[in-house]
Amino acid sequence: MNRIMEEEGYIKRRTAEGHEFEPFSIMKLDMDDVDEMKALESEIMAGLASPDAFSPDEKEDILEDMKNGAMIFGVFVKGRLRAYRYISFPKRTEANYGRDIELKGEELDRVVNFTSTIVHPEYRGNRLQRKTMKHALEQLRGTEYRYLISTVSPINYYSLKNMIRSGFVIKKIKRKYGKIADEIDGKMRYILFRDINDDMVKRYSKTIVVNNTEIDLQKNLIKNGYIGYDVDELDEFGDYKILFGVPKPTDIKSMEAKDA
Ligand SMILES: CC(C)(COP(=O)(O)OP(=O)(O)OC[C@H]1O[C@@H](n2cnc3c(N)ncnc32)[C@H](O)[C@@H]1OP(=O)(O)O)[C@@H](O)C(=O)NCCC(=O)NCCS
């Protein structure tokens, strides 16, 4: 099958001695690739320190999403899928992450779920999470899609840091992906948000520095109008600090104007 090449170049593969450069290409996956995608996901899941950090995607859901326009950007090295980014357009379905931050009606139609990203451990450090984000954003330019939303575990420092560096902010913290219901048996997740029609750099007041493990404090801050907007370095215990602040009034005004 002829695929459209989105990008090609060289990336580093980690080896016992250091690293080697290898050619890579980024291409959109199609339905025939979903088994390879699931195989990579299983390999990564097996290597995770905590299974709570990542929620696997069901094959049936991926195929259904693809029928509805979902895009998956795959990074191939020597013909093998080594990383991917998966975005979907959930419209008014229950899967729409906009529901977690109280988006309603037509706002839900403009949501893009940034569903998952995976990079094989040998290729981490090539900024592939952000590289594939760039391709996703290019595809959204000039479309009706506006609200980018993602979920990240508070114990998934590297993913959170990459999302915040890509312009997302923490809008909520709650349990997600429960078998019974989100808040009953779900896993703790940040709901990360970016409005691509409002990419102006925000300023925050009343900044408070919070540890990622202080879940109740973060919930309370958010309830009181705070947003998580930056992360510090990872410490020796695997924890890190997050900066929460209240968007400055001028920014709130411009947000309200846009929503009106
Ligand atoms: C999150 C993830 C996609 C980031 O991969 P990436 O794009 O290669 O990360 P970066 O290139 O930004 O890495 C920056 C640095 O952090 C390190 N790093 C990235 N992910 C790491 C991880 N999971 N554990 C330890 N170090 C990691 C990189 O080695 C690099 O270090 P360096 O600067 O010293 O070389 C990857 O860690 C991953 O696949 N994790 C498992 C799946 C997951 O949690 N996905 C996100 C939720 S959907």
Side-chain angles (χ1 to χ4, degrees):
M1 187 182 301
N2 282 336
R3 294 176 189 269
I4 299 171
M5 180 82 73
E6 304 283 337
E7 181 178 346
E8 53 187 338
Y10 280 80
I11 52 175
K12 291 183 212 169
R13 178 172 70 85
R14 288 172 192 276
T15 62
E17 297 76 37
H19 63 258
E20 279 173 11
F21 280 96
E22 292 181 341
F24 78 95
S25 52
I26 299 183
M27 289 178 281
K28 261 193 232 158
L29 303 190
D30 56 42
M31 291 193 185
D32 295 337
D33 297 309
V34 173
D35 284 332
E36 193 176 359
M37 187 181 159
K38 286 293 295 173
L40 177 62
E41 183 195 67
S42 304
E43 199 181 335
I44 267 73
M45 290 282 296
L48 287 181
S50 163
D52 254 16
F54 184 86
S55 306
D57 300 300
E58 298 298 329
K59 183 176 172 181
E60 297 68 39
D61 294 339
I62 303 171
L63 293 171
E64 188 58 31
D65 274 354
M66 288 177 104
K67 276 192 218 147
N68 294 317
M71 292 184 232
I72 304 165
F73 299 88
V75 181
F76 290 88
V77 180
K78 296 180 181 164
R80 294 179 73 198
L81 183 68
R82 299 288 77 191
Y84 64 76
R85 163 165 311 270
Y86 170 11
I87 65 168
S88 61
F89 306 99
K91 298 290 180 186
R92 310 255 176 137
T93 62
E94 279 310 304
N96 194 315
Y97 294 153
R99 296 184 187 282
D100 296 308
I101 53 166
E102 283 75 50
L103 295 190
K104 301 251 168 355
E106 285 176 9
E107 290 171 331
L108 292 172
D109 296 334
R110 305 181 76 184
V111 167
V112 186
N113 275 7
F114 274 63
T115 307
S116 53
T117 321
I118 274 182
V119 177
H120 188 282
E122 286 181 357
Y123 296 93
R124 287 186 189 151
N126 285 291
R127 308 292 183 263
L128 290 178
Q129 184 174 3
R130 278 187 267 172
K131 224 186 247 295
T132 52
M133 164 84 73
K134 201 183 72 192
H135 290 280
L137 291 175
E138 271 166 23
Q139 300 282 332
L140 301 176
R141 202 176 299 145
T143 69
E144 76 268 34
Y145 294 103
R146 168 174 180 181
Y147 305 115
L148 319 184
I149 313 181
S150 172
T151 68
V152 173
S153 163
I155 56 171
N156 199 340
Y157 170 76
Y158 294 100
S159 185
L160 179 65
K161 184 173 174 180
N162 276 335
M163 295 306 280
I164 285 189
R165 295 283 177 271
S166 298
F168 286 69
V169 291
I170 299 173
K171 276 271 197 178
K172 191 140 187 176
I173 178 163
K174 64 173 284 195
R175 290 192 182 278
K176 287 278 292 171
Y177 313 120
K179 283 201 175 66
I180 304 170
D182 281 0
E183 290 291 1
I184 297 175
D185 60 342
K187 301 170 179 181
M188 198 55 77
R189 288 292 182 266
Y190 289 123
I191 313 292
L192 297 166
F193 175 80
R194 175 176 165 188
D195 176 355
I196 45 177
N197 286 7
D198 181 24
D199 268 343
M200 199 172 58
V201 175
K202 302 275 183 309
R203 286 170 304 129
Y204 296 87
S205 59
K206 301 184 183 174
T207 290
I208 294 183
V209 182
V210 185
N211 203 297
N212 67 307
T213 54
E214 294 177 293
I215 304 295
D216 287 340
L217 175 57
Q218 295 179 66
K219 280 187 181 173
N220 270 329
L221 287 171
I222 291 167
K223 219 182 274 169
N224 286 288
Y226 284 74
I227 280 173
Y229 68 91
D230 205 357
V231 285
D232 197 0
E233 297 305 312
L234 201 59
D235 70 21
E236 66 212 275
F237 308 107
D239 290 331
Y240 58 93
K241 296 195 174 359
I242 306 169
L243 273 59
F244 277 84
V246 177
K248 288 243 169 131
T250 49
D251 300 329
I252 288 173
K253 240 183 243 152
S254 72
M255 273 185 225
E256 280 169 356
K258 242 176 265 78
D259 289 346

